[in-house]
Amino acid sequence: MSRKRWLALIAVAMLLVASAAINVATATIFSESSAWGIPGGNQWDETIVERGEDGSGFIALLDVNGVLQDNGETGWLQTSSYNHRLLLSQLEHAAKDPAVEGIVLRVNTPGGGVVESAEIHQKIIEAQEEYGKPVFVSMGSMAASGGYYIAAPATQIIASPQTITGSIGVIMESINVAELAENYGVKVNTIKSGPYKDIMSATREMTEEDRAILQALIDESYDEFVSVIANGRGMAEEEVRRLADGRIYSGAQALELNLVDQLGSLDDTIVAIKDYLGADYSVVQYETSLGFPQLFSMSVNKMLSSEDELAGLHRLLTEHRAPTLKYLYTN
């Protein structure tokens, strides 16, 4: 690797440390002032995308894009399109805002973490049951696995005929390189407090006892997934289990199986929620602000993406590498 790239690696490492310190030091400033493009202390702007005739309230439009994963990134170093903490705060804000009459979620995700999906699901339930806000889901090109999990409790689900949805189930994966390491004479020394402390280790074969423990975790999360769909869609548990074998469905197939309520676009979803509410409210989209922190983040992302080594360093520093339970569609 060239001297120039080594210097760039060092610069990025220093930048990561410095930005974390700056983020803490300026948190109070950004939470109390809109001078940097964060109105009311929120990390998003509220933009009218469709003006209605009834000015007594509005419909909040939120986007759910990307893998549902809370990687701890902040506005300063946000490298993925999905920001879990931001979405949760948007859902909570829309639920509590007395001016919001209803919520539309535009979902375009293959799913993600079990915990993250459950947290979004809970916010949707709270918006409906505690604050009386109907939540309509508009499925984009993909709303699979965890994407369907968060859609299940919605007041109505509207999908495109070509939407990829379903993939109802739980997955946990790891890679085992024990044989490869042995072939190359690599030995791994592990000191552990119990026989299962290194379960799913990449450097030893999985035992039947290991598999039984992990399968129990998978089954528990799967049962929760089935329950969420049965309750959200008003379906018998046996029927849900018949459909929930991990396969994907098109939006048209999902309609026939009662997994969605109708076929249509985002515009159709907005029309549907207005009809449900009985009023022509304006639609306000929550969009990420482009204040100084976000512009800083974009600059860092551009620099990281320009060099494979830099991107690799960032992933190494920010990603959690351990296998986790996921409601995730993979292909």
Side-chain angles (χ1 to χ4, degrees):
M1 189 164 58
S2 66
R3 181 172 178 271
K4 179 181 178 182
R5 291 191 174 186
W6 273 115
L7 291 174
L9 284 171
I10 294 172
V12 170
M14 294 175 64
L15 187 60
L16 289 171
V17 174
S19 64
I22 294 171
N23 200 27
V24 172
T26 57
T28 302
I29 296 175
F30 289 120
S31 64
E32 295 179 354
S33 173
S34 61
W36 298 90
I38 308 178
N42 294 328
Q43 297 179 36
W44 66 85
D45 294 319
E46 298 180 3
T47 305
I48 297 178
V49 294
E50 182 177 312
R51 195 172 297 277
E53 296 181 359
D54 193 327
S56 62
F58 63 87
I59 296 165
L61 174 59
L62 284 67
D63 288 316
V64 185
N65 289 309
V67 178
L68 308 180
Q69 179 179 4
D70 184 2
N71 52 20
E73 292 180 339
T74 67
W76 288 87
L77 289 170
Q78 181 67 28
T79 59
S80 60
S81 60
Y82 176 73
N83 186 324
H84 184 64
R85 299 177 190 181
L86 180 62
L87 176 62
L88 293 181
S89 64
Q90 289 177 338
L91 281 168
E92 183 174 354
H93 178 80
K96 293 181 177 179
D97 189 343
V100 173
E101 299 293 339
I103 301 170
V104 172
L105 288 181
R106 177 63 170 176
V107 177
N108 191 11
T109 174
V114 166
V115 172
E116 290 87 344
S117 300
E119 288 177 339
I120 300 169
H121 174 271
Q122 183 59 36
K123 289 296 183 183
I124 293 173
I125 294 295
E126 289 176 1
Q128 294 171 313
E129 297 183 356
E130 294 186 23
Y131 298 96
K133 308 290 177 69
V135 178
F136 279 47
V137 165
S138 170
M139 290 183 169
S141 60
M142 179 174 290
S145 203
Y148 189 80
Y149 184 103
I150 66 174
T155 309
Q156 282 192 30
I157 303 173
I158 299 175
S160 164
Q162 293 77 32
T163 295
I164 296 299
T165 188
S167 186
I168 301 167
V170 194
I171 190 169
M172 175 184 280
E173 296 177 308
S174 71
I175 298 175
N176 187 278
V177 296
E179 187 173 341
L180 178 65
E182 183 179 351
N183 290 339
Y184 282 90
V186 177
K187 296 182 179 180
V188 178
N189 297 315
T190 302
I191 310 300
K192 54 186 180 179
S193 58
Y196 306 114
K197 182 59 180 173
D198 62 342
I199 198 167
M200 286 194 83
S201 169
T203 57
R204 73 167 175 84
E205 295 294 335
M206 181 179 293
T207 68
E208 291 302 318
E209 291 79 5
D210 291 342
R211 188 173 296 277
I213 290 171
L214 296 171
Q215 188 63 54
L217 292 176
I218 293 289
D219 293 343
E220 183 178 301
S221 294
Y222 176 74
D223 289 343
E224 174 63 21
F225 204 156
V226 169
S227 177
V228 162
I229 297 174
N231 292 333
R233 299 298 300 170
M235 299 171 64
E237 183 176 308
E238 294 75 13
E239 177 65 10
V240 175
R241 289 185 183 277
R242 186 180 68 82
L243 302 175
D245 58 3
R247 75 182 68 186
I248 56 174
Y249 300 103
S250 69
Q253 291 172 333
L255 178 63
E256 295 180 358
L257 298 171
N258 193 34
L259 293 175
V260 304
D261 295 293
Q262 67 180 78
L263 300 179
S265 63
L266 175 59
D267 289 339
D268 294 325
T269 306
I270 291 172
V271 170
I273 194 171
K274 287 184 178 183
D275 289 343
Y276 182 89
L277 293 168
D280 183 18
Y281 294 118
S282 295
V283 179
V284 175
Q285 186 168 21
Y286 292 0
E287 298 179 311
T288 303
S289 297
L290 285 179
F292 177 74
Q294 287 70 34
L295 292 174
F296 179 85
S297 173
M298 292 168 61
S299 299
V300 172
N301 293 341
K302 184 176 180 180
M303 180 167 59
L304 288 172
S305 62
S306 65
E307 300 282 356
D308 290 341
E309 292 89 352
L310 302 186
L313 173 65
H314 185 262
R315 286 193 297 270
L316 180 64
L317 292 173
T318 59
E319 288 186 2
H320 183 58
R321 310 297 296 180
T324 56
L325 291 167
K326 297 175 183 177
Y327 297 138
L328 180 66
Y329 168 61
T330 59
N331 55 10

